[in-house]
Amino acid sequence: NEDLAKAQVLAPDGTPVELGSLWHKKPVLLVFCATRVLFCRELAAQARGEEAAFRRQGYEITCIGN
């Protein structure tokens, strides 16, 4: 979706990043989470645990949250 690709988030250093740039070269698993929400922390931990399997399949994992 072009609208989603043009949406911007902030990198840890405050630099704006277009979401589409994250999957420009290869597929990406986007994990959206709010660090104060227990479910989101558990989801992020689960994604970290599966990271090697996703990378073997050619995916990059990117966590987006606060």
Side-chain angles (χ1 to χ4, degrees):
N1 181 322
E2 283 186 37
D3 291 336
L4 181 59
K6 291 180 183 179
Q8 292 187 347
V9 295
L10 296 178
D13 66 0
T15 306
V17 176
E18 282 193 0
L19 287 179
S21 71
L22 300 175
W23 62 75
H24 179 71
K25 294 185 180 186
K26 61 181 170 179
V28 66
L29 171 64
L30 295 177
V31 180
F32 291 88
C33 57
T35 56
R36 291 180 218 120
V37 177
L38 179 60
F39 172 76
C40 291
R41 289 193 308 256
E42 291 172 354
L43 180 62
Q46 181 181 359
R48 271 193 307 276
E50 299 294 326
E51 183 176 5
F54 279 105
R55 288 187 187 276
R56 282 193 300 272
Q57 295 177 33
Y59 285 86
E60 184 68 39
I61 297 177
T62 300
C63 185
I64 298 173
N66 57 1

